[in-house]
């Protein structure tokens, strides 16, 4: 028997005919085929399962499953075969749980059918009831202070799979991969993601090298690793995994443009985004299409598509269909983009593809494209362009349905993308409702639904219904949303709904009824039918009860501390939610010394949530604990690289660290040279500059961040970035505050940086060329330095273009002030543009004090300032006037002085009056 091939069949969900000859000789092989075909009841009630899931005679049913069951296979003597049987039973348990809670159809085996009581042929019914087993499993599945969803069906199967795969396997190769799959499913059952043990991913490293010979198997492994990184919001790591998966499977894809139409009345074709993609040729393409019931392309107008009756290798007569694709039925938009050009702008590798008629993709490649689509959303800011960039990925997958689960995921993604547009929001909601309704149906084979389940982030049934309820809320259908939340017993969302309707009293009553056992759970009501007259205390595990006390604390601020502390005690100090809520409570009341210890406990339990790290960092800032704040905000941006506010706060902290170091030195009595302090200061400023630069990628419109960025950029010598920042500030603020949005000191330093070195790159480069072409031995050091100065983007010619654009394209069209014009004139004068420089000086003079007062409206001090401006303007005319051809500068100077003298007759007794008369006489003589 080929064990590696058998393990591969279990991983990919497809049986290999090479193993058929061993079906009769090896019972484990027969069980494995039943698992691949989706016959879980036969596997979980087999003789091997009865041995493994046999209840230990010496323990009570209250013991954890790990001690309750024997977990042995006495009938199997061979160690390798024993591990193989364990693997098959573990996969059966995992996929049975997935069938019950993700893919459907309804599971035909219960956990109570699996357990065997050898010493107790007639045990008490309550001890083996499915509700009792489910509650026990839900309690054991709570991890890292986060409770598992309490209405998850057949939860013992997931717990059984965990226990089986946690046992070391010596003879089998791919057991770590199944641990990864169990971990991903477990994360989706918890309320919040919780860090995994380091050995889960570490044990996969040998598998990466082992799967290089099988492109699809290697691609699957990389893809599933990326999905785990996606769950933890490690977007960069996830993107790298997705790209490696595409490279491993040979998927060729490119996002490009092609001419097309998107509306029914569009006359001219415009460039439209399109994803060109092509799978590599595979030997099993025909078989894949047959077994999956491959479909023709989805119709462009009526949304229908022809389907073939597909069955798994002809063994069943069940039709294999994909979920229904609802038509748009809009009076303007087309069902899909109608491409009019068959020659997209692309590389030669995909130039042969016609955007309107691309070949079908392999289902695994479709999974990779959907994952790349997720990555577009995670690594881009929330913007309409992001949705436009994601749509081609989804459209490429939807166009050729190949698998039930993959097509479901694609339709779900399209539903999410269309939920923000008025013309598509109706189809978005109806499509989501259709996806929820089709879960329990048997319109496709279970083996097909499970085949690519681990390669896509398909949400569970309750998460999909929760998303539907949130969609109802977004369009104002509050009552339907509330009914769904109550049926799912998602009490936190129920409370939010009542709060949104300003019914806090009703929300409090619901939570208190749950805590007191006066409110029945949905499953108990259904099981008892109409007999609900007697009240029963609901059995709550500690994690769920702690969460309810936290909800009550949110609703009753006057008793919040007592409720949060009670939740903390009930959870045996494992409820991260309790400490997060208590820390936030103290922070809101400015009790920062009390908030920090609570938040430290919260992040110790679950360090993957960025919000408690952020609040802790803010508390440290208020306490002036700069090093603690630096560590907290560093963790924030490590978790969420797009958290612009954390990047901004981190930059602020870096600029304060020197103060903290100085205080420590003063307390220790250290004295001496301050040179090291200056070195640390510059390094911290550089770190602050980098932090702000990263944060501005995700908060481009925040003028305050741009202002901070501009100041720090000036301090570290990044003048070109300071110039860009000043431009953004003017664009955002000029309409509101006018010239105040321009930092005059920054503007002056930018102009100084340009004017202190040669600004004509042509002259310098020419000089360098002549020098280099001279006889050997000539000194070219000076020319090289000049060339470097020209090319340096932070001074001279390298900075000139940016500063000119800042003045001519951004500042001057929006605001005007004397200092702005004078700085602009200095820049022009350095370029020997004398006429333009003189005009700028005159514009600045007209914006100044001289031209803005009327006779009798000015006090003495302002008048003296105006006199100095007149004298300065006359000096400018004397300097630049002779250099401007055809300009009668002396006449213009006399006109300026004469006009000012006429307006200021009231100040004839001032000493400066005589100076004005002297200037008039000088100008007459110079004429």
């Amino acid at each position: 028997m080929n064990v590696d091939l058998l393990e591969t069949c279990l991983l990919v969900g497809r049986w290999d005919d090479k193993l058929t000859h061993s079906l009769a000789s090896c019972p484990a092989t027969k069980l494995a085929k039943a698992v691949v075909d989706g016959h879980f009841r036969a596997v979980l009630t087999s003789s091997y399962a009865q041995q493994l899931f046999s209840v230990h005679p010496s323990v009570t049913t209250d013991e954890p499953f790990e001690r309750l069951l024997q977990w042995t296979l006495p009938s199997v003597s061979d160690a390798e075969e024993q591990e193989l049987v364990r693997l098959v039973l573990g996969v059966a348990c995992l996929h049975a749980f997935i069938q019950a809670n993700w893919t459907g159809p309804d599971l035909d085996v219960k956990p109570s059918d699996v357990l065997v009581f050898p010493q107790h042929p007639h045990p008490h019914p309550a001890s083996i009831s499915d509700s009792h087993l489910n509650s026990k499993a839900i309690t054991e599945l709570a991890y890292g202070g986060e409770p598992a969803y309490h209405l998850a069906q057949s939860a013992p199967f997931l717990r059984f799979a965990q226990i089986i795969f946690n046992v070391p396997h010596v003879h089998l190769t791919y057991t770590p991969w199944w641990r990864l799959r169990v971990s991903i499913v477990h994360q989706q059952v918890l309320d919040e993601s919780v860090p995994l043990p380091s050995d889960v991913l570490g044990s996969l490293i040998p598998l990466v090298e082992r799967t290089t010979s099988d492109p699809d198997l290697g691609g699957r492994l990389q893809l599933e690793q990326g999905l785990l990184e996606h769950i933890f919001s490690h977007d960069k790591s996830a993107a790298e995994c997705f790209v490696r998966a595409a490279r491993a499977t040979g998927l060729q894809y490119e996002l490009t443009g092609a001419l097309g139409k998107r509306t029914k009345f569009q006359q001219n074709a415009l460039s439209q985004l399109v994803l060109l993609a092509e799978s590599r040729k595979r030997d099993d393409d025909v078989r894949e299409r047959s077994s999956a019931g491959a479909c023709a392309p989805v119709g462009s107008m009526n949304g229908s598509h022809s389907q073939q009756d597909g069955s798994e290798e002809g063994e069943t007569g069940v039709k294999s269909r994909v979920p229904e694709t609802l038509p748009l039925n809009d009076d303007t938009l087309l069902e899909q983009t109608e491409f009019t050009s068959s020659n997209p702008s692309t590389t030669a590798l995909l130039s042969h593809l016609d955007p309107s008629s691309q070949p079908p993709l392999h289902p695994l490649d479709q999974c990779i494209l959907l994952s790349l689509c997720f990555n577009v959303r995670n690594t881009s800011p929330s913007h309409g362009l992001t949705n436009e960039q994601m749509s081609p990925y989804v459209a490429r997958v939807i166009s050729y349905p190949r698998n039930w689960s993959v097509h479901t995921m694609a339709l779900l993604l399209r539903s999410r993308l269309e939920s923000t547009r008025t013309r598509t929001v109706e189809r978005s909601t109806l499509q989501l409702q259709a996806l929820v309704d089709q879960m329990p149906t048997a319109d496709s084979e279970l083996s097909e639904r499970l085949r690519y389940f681990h390669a896509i982030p398909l949400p569970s049934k309750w998460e999909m219904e929760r998303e539907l309820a949130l969609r109802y809320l977004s369009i104002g259908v509050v009552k339907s949303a509330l009914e769904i939340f109550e049926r799912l017993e998602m009490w936190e969302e129920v409370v939010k709904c009542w709060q949104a309707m300003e019914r806090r009293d009703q929300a409090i009553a619901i939570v208190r009824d749950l805590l007191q056992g006066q409110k029945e759970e949905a499953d108990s009501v259904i099981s008892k039918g109409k007999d609900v007259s007697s009240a029963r205390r609901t059995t709550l595990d500690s994690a769920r009860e702690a969460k309810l006390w936290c909800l009550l604390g949110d609703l009753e601020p006057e008793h919040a501390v007592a409720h949060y502390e009670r939740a903390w005690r009930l959870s045996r100090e494992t409820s991260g939610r309790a400490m997060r809520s208590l820390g936030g409570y103290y922070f809101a009341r400015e009790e920062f010394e009390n908030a920090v210890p609570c938040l430290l406990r919260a992040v110790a339990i679950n360090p993957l949530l960025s919000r408690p790290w952020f609040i802790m960092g803010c508390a440290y800032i208020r306490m002036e604990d700069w090093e603690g704040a630096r560590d907290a905000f560093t963790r924030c941006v490590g978790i969420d690289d797009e958290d612009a506010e954390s990047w901004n706060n981190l930059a602020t902290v870096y600029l304060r660290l020197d103060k903290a170091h100085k205080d420590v030195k003063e307390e220790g009595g250290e004295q001496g040279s301050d040179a090291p302090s200056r070195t640390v200061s510059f390094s911290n400023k550089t770190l602050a500059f980098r932090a702000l630069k990263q944060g501005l990628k995700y908060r481009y419109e925040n003028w305050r961040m741009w202002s901070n960025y501009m100041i720090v950029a000036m301090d570290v010598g990044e003048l070109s970035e300071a110039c860009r920042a000043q431009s953004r500030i003017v664009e955002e603020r000029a309409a509101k505050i006018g010239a105040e949005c321009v930092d005059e000191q920054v503007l002056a330093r930018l102009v100084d940086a340009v004017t202190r070195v040669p600004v004509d790159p042509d002259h310098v480069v020419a000089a360098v060329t002549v020098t280099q072409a001279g006889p050997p031995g000539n000194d070219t050091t000076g020319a090289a330095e000049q060339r470097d100065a020209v090319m340096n983007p932070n001074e001279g010619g390298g900075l000139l273009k940016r500063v000119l654009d800042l003045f001519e394209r951004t500042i001057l069209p929006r605001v005007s002030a004397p200092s702005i014009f004078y700085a602009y004139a200095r820049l022009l004068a350095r370029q020997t543009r004398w006429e333009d420089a003189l005009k700028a000086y005159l514009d600045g003079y007209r914006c100044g004090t001289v031209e803005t007062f009327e006779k009798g409206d000015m006090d003495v001090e302002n008048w003296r300032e105006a006199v100095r401006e007149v004298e300065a303007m006359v000096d400018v005319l004397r300097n630049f006037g002779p250099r401007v051809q055809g300009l009668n500068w002396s006449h213009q100077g006399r006109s300026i002085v004469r006009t000012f003298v006429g307006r200021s007759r009231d100040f004839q007794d001032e000493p400066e009056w005589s100076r004005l008369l002297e200037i008039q006489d000088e100008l007459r003589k110079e004429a």
Side-chain angles (χ1 to χ4, degrees):
M1 179 181 62
N2 190 336
V3 177
D4 284 347
L5 182 59
L6 184 60
E7 286 191 81
T8 302
C9 291
L10 289 172
L11 283 171
V12 302
R14 182 185 299 284
W15 189 252
D16 195 309
D17 294 335
K18 297 177 183 178
L19 295 170
T20 305
H21 67 278
S22 61
L23 287 175
S25 59
C26 182
T29 306
K30 187 175 181 180
L31 286 178
K33 188 177 189 308
V35 169
V36 171
D37 294 340
H39 303 152
F40 301 133
R41 181 176 181 83
V43 177
L44 295 175
T45 58
S46 64
S47 59
Y48 293 113
Q50 291 177 359
Q51 297 175 45
L52 194 68
F53 302 127
S54 178
V55 176
H56 202 284
S58 61
V59 299
T60 64
T61 55
D62 294 331
E63 293 289 337
F65 283 116
E66 198 163 3
R67 292 199 298 268
L68 177 64
L69 306 182
Q70 297 191 27
W71 304 109
T72 59
L73 292 168
S75 65
V76 183
S77 58
D78 184 71
E80 184 180 41
E81 186 178 358
Q82 191 175 92
E83 288 188 8
L84 186 58
V85 172
R86 285 178 178 273
L87 174 67
V88 172
L89 293 175
V91 175
C93 289
L94 176 61
H95 283 178
F97 179 76
I98 292 171
Q99 178 186 347
N101 296 279
W102 267 267
T103 63
D106 295 337
L107 189 63
D108 60 352
V109 61
K110 300 177 181 178
S112 58
D113 300 333
V114 174
L115 297 188
V116 176
F117 291 77
Q119 304 298 327
H120 304 280
H122 302 290
H124 192 274
S127 64
I128 60 169
S129 66
D130 288 303
S131 61
H132 175 80
L133 296 174
N134 213 64
S135 298
K136 177 193 288 290
I138 292 296
T139 303
E140 295 186 22
L141 287 172
Y143 180 67
E146 296 297 333
Y149 180 59
H150 62 286
L151 294 187
Q153 301 176 22
S154 303
F157 287 138
L158 178 59
R159 182 61 184 142
F160 293 166
Q162 277 186 326
I163 296 172
I164 291 173
F165 292 125
N166 283 336
V167 176
H169 289 68
V170 180
H171 301 282
L172 300 183
T173 304
Y174 295 109
T175 305
W177 195 336
W178 285 106
R179 284 189 66 196
L180 171 68
R181 291 182 169 183
V182 170
S183 300
I184 291 176
V185 173
H186 186 206
Q187 290 290 327
Q188 297 180 71
V189 176
L190 300 175
D191 277 7
E192 299 285 352
S193 300
V194 179
L196 294 176
S198 58
D199 62 328
V200 173
L201 287 176
S203 60
L204 296 173
I205 296 176
L207 297 184
V208 175
E209 299 178 359
R210 189 178 181 88
T211 56
T212 53
S213 59
D214 188 334
D216 287 350
L217 199 61
R220 274 181 184 265
L221 180 58
Q222 296 287 352
L223 179 57
E224 293 180 29
Q225 285 183 278
L227 292 177
L228 181 64
E229 300 288 357
H230 166 72
I231 291 175
F232 294 141
S233 298
H234 299 161
D235 301 327
K236 290 184 179 179
S237 300
E240 293 172 359
C241 290
F242 297 150
V243 172
R244 287 198 297 267
R247 192 180 299 121
T249 63
L251 171 65
Q252 299 291 337
Y253 66 94
E254 182 180 358
L255 189 66
T256 183
L259 293 178
K261 300 178 181 179
R262 297 180 63 179
T263 65
K264 297 178 180 179
F265 308 106
Q266 187 174 341
Q267 299 296 320
N268 300 322
L270 303 175
S271 181
Q272 309 290 343
L273 268 179
V274 60
L275 182 75
L276 301 179
E278 186 176 32
S279 299
R280 82 171 199 282
K281 301 299 181 183
R282 291 172 170 84
D283 296 335
D284 62 342
D285 276 352
V286 176
R287 179 183 176 185
E288 178 75 38
R289 198 171 307 169
S290 174
S291 64
C295 306
V298 174
S300 61
M301 295 303 295
N302 55 15
S304 62
H305 49 268
S306 61
Q307 293 178 320
Q308 301 173 358
D309 292 341
S311 61
E312 183 66 29
E313 301 181 4
E315 293 181 2
T316 66
V318 180
K319 291 184 178 181
S320 179
R321 299 184 183 276
V322 294
E324 179 185 5
T325 304
L326 298 183
L328 182 59
N329 293 332
D330 187 73
D331 58 356
T332 301
L333 292 178
L334 294 171
E335 290 289 332
Q336 57 189 20
T337 303
E338 181 182 310
F339 292 102
T340 58
S341 172
S342 59
N343 297 316
S345 54
T346 182
T347 59
L349 194 61
L350 298 174
S351 59
H352 63 283
L353 295 181
D354 185 352
S356 59
S357 179
Q358 299 190 56
L361 293 173
H362 190 274
L364 182 58
D365 291 333
Q366 291 182 336
C367 297
I368 295 174
L369 289 183
L370 293 180
S371 300
L372 290 167
C373 173
F374 270 107
N375 190 60
V376 170
R377 183 196 65 187
N378 291 346
T379 57
S380 303
S382 179
H383 195 277
L385 289 178
T386 304
N387 285 354
E388 291 295 329
Q389 193 175 352
M390 292 171 68
S391 297
Y393 289 87
V394 179
R396 182 68 179 93
V397 176
I398 290 179
S399 61
Y400 279 95
R402 298 287 299 274
N403 178 269
W404 185 93
S405 297
V406 178
H407 195 58
T408 297
M409 189 71 241
L411 291 177
L412 177 61
L413 280 177
R414 188 183 69 177
S415 174
R416 292 171 180 172
L417 294 176
E418 292 182 345
S419 63
T420 58
R421 301 180 60 189
T422 56
R423 289 190 176 274
T424 56
V425 66
E426 181 180 1
R427 179 172 71 169
S428 169
T429 306
L430 294 176
Q431 183 71 75
L432 185 55
Q433 179 69 65
L435 294 178
V436 171
D437 294 341
Q438 54 103 30
M439 285 293 182
T441 63
D443 56 356
S444 61
E445 292 186 354
L446 176 60
S447 58
E448 180 200 346
R449 295 188 179 194
L450 291 172
R451 187 166 298 141
Y452 296 99
F453 169 81
H454 298 287
I456 53 175
L458 187 68
S460 59
K461 292 180 180 179
W462 64 83
E463 280 296 329
M464 200 170 291
E465 288 195 67
R466 177 179 179 271
E467 187 170 341
L468 177 62
L470 293 174
R471 191 71 51 81
Y472 282 149
L473 275 180
S474 67
I475 60 177
V477 189
V478 181
K479 185 176 179 180
S480 297
L482 187 59
E483 289 175 355
I484 294 176
F485 286 139
E486 288 183 338
R487 176 166 49 80
L488 297 175
E489 297 186 12
M490 294 183 174
W491 304 118
E492 191 165 5
E493 280 74 14
V494 171
V495 165
K496 290 178 182 178
C497 285
W498 285 114
Q499 285 181 308
M501 294 185 287
E502 299 182 355
R503 293 288 306 277
R504 192 169 71 94
D505 56 336
Q506 183 67 26
I508 294 175
I510 289 175
V511 177
R512 286 199 173 276
D513 286 347
L514 287 166
L515 289 170
Q516 296 171 7
Q518 297 176 1
K519 188 173 182 62
E520 293 280 356
E521 287 187 342
D523 54 354
S524 64
V525 173
I526 294 172
S527 64
K528 292 191 296 184
K530 298 182 179 179
D531 185 18
V532 292
S533 57
S534 60
R536 162 181 81 84
R537 177 169 180 79
T538 305
T539 302
L540 296 175
D541 61 77
S542 59
R544 287 175 54 210
E545 189 173 1
K547 183 177 180 180
L548 289 174
W549 280 108
C550 290
L551 278 177
L552 192 60
D554 297 341
L555 293 169
E556 296 181 345
E558 61 276 9
H559 306 297
V561 175
H563 294 332
Y564 296 145
E565 290 179 346
R566 182 167 184 177
W568 180 245
R569 292 193 301 271
L570 282 171
S571 67
R572 298 181 182 88
E573 299 186 356
T574 61
S575 174
R577 165 67 186 277
M579 285 296 102
R580 291 195 296 269
S581 300
L582 188 57
Y585 176 87
Y586 284 133
F587 181 84
R589 285 152 183 79
E590 299 185 359
E591 300 178 26
F592 307 118
E593 292 78 6
N594 294 330
V596 169
C598 297
L599 295 169
L600 283 173
R601 295 190 192 103
V603 298
I605 294 171
N606 188 349
L608 290 180
L609 301 178
S610 62
R611 189 62 184 171
W613 285 109
F614 182 85
I615 297 175
M616 189 187 347
C618 294
Y620 275 131
I621 287 179
R622 299 294 184 89
M623 297 164 59
E624 297 188 0
D625 184 348
W626 305 113
E627 292 188 354
R630 176 197 60 194
D631 296 340
F633 288 121
T634 300
R635 292 300 296 266
C636 282
V637 298
I639 295 169
D640 183 6
D641 190 43
E642 297 182 13
D643 188 353
E645 196 169 356
S646 292
W647 283 113
N648 184 62
N649 291 348
L650 182 59
T652 302
V653 170
Y654 279 132
L655 296 175
R656 300 293 192 279
L657 279 176
D658 291 332
K659 180 179 181 298
H661 295 158
K662 181 179 179 182
D663 292 342
V664 171
K665 286 185 178 181
E666 290 177 353
E667 290 177 3
E670 296 183 11
Q671 295 180 356
S673 174
D674 60 349
S677 175
R678 287 197 298 269
T679 303
V680 173
S681 175
F682 182 79
S683 64
N684 284 335
K685 286 180 180 179
T686 303
L687 292 172
F689 170 78
R690 293 172 181 170
L692 287 168
K693 187 174 185 178
Q694 186 71 16
L696 284 169
K697 294 179 181 178
Y698 312 108
R699 196 66 63 85
Y700 190 72
E701 71 286 350
N702 191 319
W703 66 269
R704 290 184 177 87
M705 286 185 64
W706 281 110
S707 180
N708 296 339
Y709 183 61
M710 177 179 66
I711 300 302
V712 176
M714 294 298 297
D715 286 345
V716 299
E718 294 286 345
L719 302 189
S720 61
E721 289 298 302
C723 186
R724 185 167 74 100
Q726 179 64 86
S727 177
R728 285 293 301 138
I729 295 170
V730 172
E731 290 172 356
E732 293 290 336
R733 300 283 289 167
K736 296 181 180 179
I737 62 175
E740 293 180 13
C741 65
V742 179
D743 191 312
E744 296 179 0
Q745 294 182 358
V746 170
L747 202 62
R749 287 185 59 184
L750 290 173
V751 174
D752 289 341
V754 174
T755 58
R756 66 173 172 241
V757 294
V759 296
D760 190 345
D762 294 334
H763 293 172
V764 175
V765 172
V768 172
T769 304
V770 171
T771 305
Q772 290 177 342
N778 280 6
D779 183 15
T780 60
T781 303
E785 290 178 353
Q786 286 183 321
R787 179 180 58 188
D788 292 341
V790 171
M791 301 309 295
N792 186 348
N794 295 311
E795 65 177 358
L799 184 62
L800 173 62
K801 186 177 185 305
R802 277 188 176 273
V803 178
L804 278 176
D805 287 344
L806 174 64
F807 278 108
E808 297 173 356
R809 296 188 178 185
T810 307
I811 296 179
L812 294 178
R814 291 176 172 85
V815 297
S816 59
S819 59
I820 295 174
F821 283 111
Y822 294 156
Y824 182 48
R826 285 201 299 127
L827 187 67
L828 296 173
R830 191 69 177 94
Q831 295 179 273
T832 66
R833 294 168 56 183
W834 308 117
E835 185 175 358
D836 294 336
L838 183 58
K839 180 179 181 302
Y841 273 118
L842 288 171
D843 290 338
Y845 172 79
R846 297 185 184 103
C847 293
T849 308
V850 177
E851 295 291 330
T852 57
F853 84 100
E854 297 294 335
K855 185 175 181 179
D857 292 342
M858 184 178 292
D859 57 23
V860 175
E861 291 302 324
N862 287 339
W863 181 80
R864 289 172 180 168
E865 177 63 28
V867 171
R868 288 191 286 272
E869 290 182 8
V870 170
E871 188 173 4
M873 191 64 240
V874 172
D875 289 340
V876 168
L877 286 170
R878 285 196 180 108
N879 187 15
F880 295 115
R883 307 183 189 189
V884 179
Q885 186 176 1
L887 176 67
N888 189 349
W889 62 270
S890 59
H891 173 74
Q892 193 167 3
R894 291 196 305 272
S895 175
I896 289 173
V897 177
R898 184 171 58 251
T899 301
F900 181 70
V901 168
R903 290 182 178 180
S904 55
R905 296 287 183 183
D906 297 339
F907 300 96
Q908 295 184 20
D909 297 334
E910 298 297 326
E912 288 80 2
W913 180 264
S914 60
R915 178 58 187 153
L916 288 175
L917 298 180
E918 291 177 5
I919 293 174
Q920 277 187 313
D921 293 339
E922 292 173 359
L923 289 173
R924 289 193 191 98
K925 293 176 182 178
E926 292 173 356

